[in-house]
Amino acid sequence: MKKSILFVLGSLFCWLAACDKGTDTPVTPVINPLNLPATVFNYANLNLPSHFTTNAGAGLPSSINGMDNTPASNPVTNDGATLGRVLFYDKNLSSNRTIACASCHVQTKSFSDTATLSKGFLNGNTRRHSMTLINARYYQRGRFFWDERAATLEEQVLMPFQDAVEMGMTLTGVVERVTAQTYYPDLFTKAFGDKTVTSDRIAKALAQFIRSIVSTNAKYDLGRAQVNGPGAPFPNFTAEENTGKQFFLQPIAQGGGACFGCHTTEAFINDVPGPANNGIDAVSTTDLGAGETFPQLAIFKGRFKTSTLRNIAQTAPYMHDGRFKTLEEVVEHYNSGIKNHPTLGNALKDANGNPIRMNMTAAQKAALVAFLKTLTDTGVATEEKWSNPFK
Ligand code: HEC
Ligand code: HEC
């Protein structure tokens, strides 16, 4: 009796495991398609340089203290971010399995896209230009998208799946697809203690991966670490780069461009009060930006999120609609092209309330571009821990 049960179980096992005929050895097991390290990468400990965590003193805040939007309920862990990395690169999570988050947030382009508008799973265009994900955690308001329509990063990361142009899924569908892949139970268990797949866990892991993408190793940082404040000349900069830096930091009245008024802190991201208008249009017509998210507040009409300028040389084209192809075009906009929109930022107006004309010399423009290029941390665009694990 016992023997025959064992026999039945044995052949059932053999059938399930697709044994070779006549032997007990299973055929080639499913090869894990992932290339993950034996010991997880470090995502949790950012090892921030001291200029990130110490305020330089005068003027606008330079440190990122108090800017981190990581919620207590979702700290970055190495295993959580590892799971997030796999989800971020997994094409199975779009309707026809052709698109992943990484298709429009390309690591070698500092997690943005060279296309003016990105292509979704059916080749349709996104409404706006893709955004870099670098330093997303230091946007103090913690709201996401150009128009700030996502209230948290955890909320944002589930939206592309459900977007009709981007990935064309339902959340139930995403959970089913994740559950169907052989590589996820182990990753969920390591990240969350058991293999249960929920959209909440998917959101948490993706947000952890994104919050781990921080740029702290640019030429700018090497220079900044050698001086007491951003305003001091950096020993490792060329004279031109230092000139561009001064122009970036100084208010207009002091001969600068007021750039640091909106692109603030060592993360070069807006701290408060949030979305701004930098005068690229005189009137808002088809895209009201944050005015669509907060329609009751006229002041938000035509304002857009000021995302980080870190690695900006790698994220062309520029602005929410990708209208400027080069940094030279961006600088020329601030120099001579600012339009008098009703919500234009005060920093970009003159004493009479008109759009400022900076009247920069060719040398000043070149210097400002040279400075912006010092913000590139090539590690972010190349390090394996943020790269595609499906290879
Ligand atoms: C088809 C292209 C595409 C895909 C796929 C895509 N994104 Fe995006 N992403 C964009 C575009 C375009 C924007 C800006 C849209 C807007 O502001 O209206 C954006 C914005 C974002 C932002 C906001 C950044 C900020 O600073 O506010 C985050 C975060 C983000 N995406 C994460 C993801 C994640 C996670 C996935 C996968 C689940 C994903 N994206 C899939 C194109 C894409
Ligand atoms: C009043 C606030 C404000 C000031 C001052 C300001 N900016 Fe901006 N900047 C913004 C906003 C808002 C955006 C995004 C606008 C959009 O996409 O519609 C932006 C976008 C940019 C971008 C493109 C970012 C991207 O990811 O596409 C660059 C580069 C830039 N600014 C550089 C500068 C420089 C250089 C200066 C100084 C000459 C400056 N900014 C001054 C608010 C400001």
Coordinates of all heavy atoms in Angstrom, one line a residue, residues 146 257-259 262-263 276-278 280 304-307 309 312 318-320 327 330 334 345 347-348 358 368 372, ligand 2:
W146 N 5.6 66.4 -13.7 CA 5.8 67.8 -14.0 C 4.7 68.7 -13.4 O 4.9 69.9 -13.1 CB 5.8 68.0 -15.5 CG 7.1 67.6 -16.2 CD1 7.2 66.5 -17.1 CD2 8.4 68.2 -16.2 NE1 8.5 66.4 -17.6 CE2 9.2 67.5 -17.1 CE3 8.9 69.3 -15.5 CZ2 10.6 67.8 -17.3 CZ3 10.2 69.6 -15.7 CH2 11.1 68.9 -16.6
G257 N 22.4 85.1 -12.3 CA 21.3 84.7 -13.1 C 20.1 84.2 -12.2 O 19.1 83.7 -12.7
A258 N 20.4 84.2 -10.9 CA 19.3 83.8 -9.9 C 18.9 82.3 -10.0 O 17.9 81.9 -9.5 CB 18.1 84.7 -10.0
C259 N 19.8 81.6 -10.7 CA 19.4 80.2 -10.9 C 19.2 79.4 -9.6 O 18.3 78.6 -9.5 CB 20.5 79.5 -11.8 SG 21.1 80.4 -13.1
C262 N 15.8 79.0 -7.6 CA 14.9 77.9 -7.8 C 15.5 76.5 -7.9 O 14.8 75.5 -7.5 CB 14.1 78.2 -9.1 SG 13.1 79.6 -9.1
H263 N 16.7 76.4 -8.4 CA 17.4 75.1 -8.4 C 18.3 75.0 -7.2 O 19.5 75.2 -7.3 CB 18.2 75.0 -9.7 CG 17.3 75.1 -10.9 ND1 16.6 74.0 -11.4 CD2 17.1 76.1 -11.8 CE1 15.9 74.4 -12.5 NE2 16.2 75.7 -12.7
A276 N 7.2 76.1 -10.3 CA 7.5 77.4 -10.7 C 7.3 77.7 -12.1 O 7.1 76.7 -12.9 CB 9.0 77.7 -10.3
N277 N 7.3 79.0 -12.5 CA 7.1 79.3 -13.9 C 8.4 80.1 -14.3 O 8.8 81.1 -13.7 CB 5.9 80.2 -14.1 CG 5.7 80.5 -15.5 OD1 6.6 80.9 -16.3 ND2 4.4 80.4 -16.0
N278 N 9.1 79.5 -15.3 CA 10.4 80.1 -15.7 C 10.2 80.8 -17.1 O 11.2 81.0 -17.8 CB 11.5 79.0 -15.8 CG 11.3 77.9 -16.8 OD1 10.1 77.8 -17.3 ND2 12.3 77.2 -17.1
I280 N 8.8 80.2 -20.1 CA 9.0 79.7 -21.5 C 7.8 80.0 -22.4 O 7.9 79.9 -23.6 CB 9.4 78.2 -21.5 CG1 8.3 77.3 -20.8 CG2 10.7 77.9 -20.9 CD1 8.6 75.8 -20.8
F304 N 5.5 74.5 -13.3 CA 5.9 73.1 -13.5 C 6.9 72.8 -12.4 O 7.6 73.7 -11.9 CB 6.5 72.9 -14.9 CG 5.5 72.9 -16.0 CD1 5.1 74.2 -16.5 CD2 4.8 71.8 -16.4 CE1 4.1 74.3 -17.5 CE2 3.8 71.9 -17.4 CZ 3.5 73.1 -17.9
K305 N 7.0 71.5 -12.1 CA 8.0 71.0 -11.1 C 9.4 71.4 -11.6 O 9.7 71.2 -12.7 CB 7.8 69.5 -11.0 CG 8.8 68.9 -10.0 CD 8.5 67.5 -9.7 CE 9.5 66.9 -8.8 NZ 9.2 65.5 -8.3
T306 N 10.2 71.9 -10.6 CA 11.6 72.1 -10.9 C 12.4 70.9 -10.4 O 12.6 70.7 -9.3 CB 12.1 73.3 -10.1 OG1 11.1 74.3 -10.1 CG2 13.4 73.9 -10.7
S307 N 12.7 70.0 -11.4 CA 13.4 68.8 -11.0 C 14.9 69.1 -10.9 O 15.3 70.2 -11.2 CB 13.1 67.6 -11.9 OG 13.4 67.9 -13.2
L309 N 18.9 69.6 -11.4 CA 19.9 69.8 -12.5 C 21.1 68.9 -12.4 O 22.0 69.0 -13.3 CB 20.3 71.3 -12.4 CG 19.3 72.4 -12.7 CD1 19.9 73.8 -12.8 CD2 18.4 72.1 -13.9
I312 N 22.5 67.1 -15.7 CA 21.6 67.8 -16.7 C 22.2 67.6 -18.1 O 21.5 67.6 -19.1 CB 21.4 69.2 -16.3 CG1 20.2 69.9 -17.1 CG2 22.6 70.1 -16.3 CD1 18.9 69.4 -16.8
Y318 N 15.2 69.4 -23.1 CA 14.9 70.0 -21.8 C 13.5 70.6 -21.7 O 12.9 71.0 -22.8 CB 15.9 71.1 -21.5 CG 17.3 70.5 -21.5 CD1 18.2 70.8 -22.5 CD2 17.7 69.7 -20.4 CE1 19.5 70.2 -22.4 CE2 19.0 69.1 -20.4 CZ 19.9 69.4 -21.4 OH 21.1 68.8 -21.4
M319 N 13.0 70.8 -20.5 CA 11.7 71.3 -20.1 C 10.6 70.3 -20.3 O 10.9 69.2 -20.8 CB 11.3 72.6 -20.9 CG 12.3 73.7 -20.9 SD 12.7 74.3 -19.2 CE 14.2 75.2 -19.4
H320 N 9.4 70.6 -19.7 CA 8.4 69.5 -19.6 C 7.9 69.0 -21.0 O 7.4 67.9 -21.1 CB 7.2 70.1 -18.9 CG 6.4 71.2 -19.6 ND1 6.8 72.5 -19.5 CD2 5.4 71.1 -20.5 CE1 6.0 73.2 -20.3 NE2 5.1 72.4 -20.9
L327 N 21.8 72.6 -23.8 CA 22.0 73.5 -22.7 C 22.2 75.0 -23.2 O 21.7 75.9 -22.5 CB 23.1 73.1 -21.8 CG 22.8 71.8 -21.0 CD1 24.1 71.4 -20.2 CD2 21.7 72.1 -20.0
V330 N 18.9 76.5 -23.6 CA 18.3 76.8 -22.3 C 18.8 78.1 -21.8 O 18.1 79.0 -21.4 CB 18.5 75.6 -21.3 CG1 18.1 76.1 -19.9 CG2 17.8 74.3 -21.7
Y334 N 17.0 81.8 -20.8 CA 17.0 82.6 -19.6 C 17.7 84.0 -19.9 O 17.3 85.0 -19.3 CB 17.8 81.9 -18.5 CG 17.0 80.8 -17.8 CD1 17.4 79.5 -18.0 CD2 16.0 81.1 -17.0 CE1 16.6 78.5 -17.4 CE2 15.3 80.1 -16.4 CZ 15.6 78.8 -16.6 OH 14.8 77.8 -16.0
G345 N 8.0 83.5 -12.2 CA 8.6 83.6 -10.9 C 9.2 84.9 -10.7 O 9.8 85.5 -11.6
A347 N 11.8 85.8 -9.2 CA 13.3 85.9 -9.4 C 13.7 86.2 -10.8 O 14.8 86.7 -11.1 CB 13.9 84.5 -9.0
L348 N 12.7 86.0 -11.7 CA 13.0 86.3 -13.1 C 12.4 87.6 -13.7 O 12.2 87.8 -14.9 CB 12.6 85.1 -14.0 CG 13.4 83.8 -13.7 CD1 12.8 82.6 -14.4 CD2 14.9 83.9 -14.0
M358 N 19.0 89.3 -19.2 CA 20.3 89.2 -18.5 C 21.4 89.8 -19.3 O 22.5 90.0 -18.7 CB 20.5 87.7 -18.2 CG 19.5 87.1 -17.3 SD 19.9 85.5 -16.7 CE 18.4 85.1 -15.8
L368 N 28.4 79.5 -18.1 CA 27.2 78.9 -17.4 C 27.0 77.4 -17.9 O 26.8 76.5 -17.1 CB 26.0 79.7 -17.6 CG 24.7 79.3 -16.9 CD1 24.9 79.1 -15.4 CD2 23.6 80.3 -17.2
L372 N 27.2 74.0 -15.7 CA 26.2 72.9 -15.6 C 26.7 71.5 -15.9 O 26.3 70.5 -15.4 CB 25.0 73.3 -16.6 CG 24.2 74.5 -16.3 CD1 23.3 74.9 -17.4 CD2 23.4 74.3 -15.0
Ligands
HEC2 C1 11.7 81.0 -11.1 C2 12.4 79.8 -10.9 C3 13.5 79.5 -11.8 C4 14.7 80.2 -12.0 C5 15.1 81.5 -11.4 C6 15.5 79.3 -12.9 N1 14.8 78.2 -13.2 FE1 15.5 76.7 -14.4 N2 13.7 75.8 -14.3 C7 12.6 76.2 -13.6 C8 11.5 75.4 -13.9 C9 10.1 75.6 -13.2 C10 11.9 74.5 -14.8 C11 11.0 73.5 -15.6 C12 10.1 74.3 -16.5 C13 9.3 73.5 -17.5 O1 9.7 72.3 -17.8 O2 8.3 74.0 -18.0 C14 13.3 74.8 -15.1 C15 14.0 74.0 -16.0 C16 15.4 74.2 -16.2 C17 16.2 73.4 -17.0 C18 15.8 72.1 -17.7 C19 15.5 71.0 -16.7 C20 15.1 69.7 -17.4 O3 15.1 68.7 -16.7 O4 14.6 69.8 -18.5 C21 17.5 73.9 -16.9 C22 18.8 73.3 -17.5 C23 17.5 75.1 -16.1 N3 16.2 75.3 -15.6 C24 18.5 75.9 -15.8 C25 18.4 77.1 -15.2 C26 19.5 78.1 -15.1 C27 20.8 78.0 -15.8 C28 19.0 79.2 -14.5 C29 19.6 80.6 -14.3 C30 19.9 81.3 -15.5 C31 17.6 78.9 -14.1 N4 17.3 77.6 -14.5 C32 16.8 79.7 -13.3 C33 12.6 77.3 -12.6 C34 13.6 78.3 -12.6

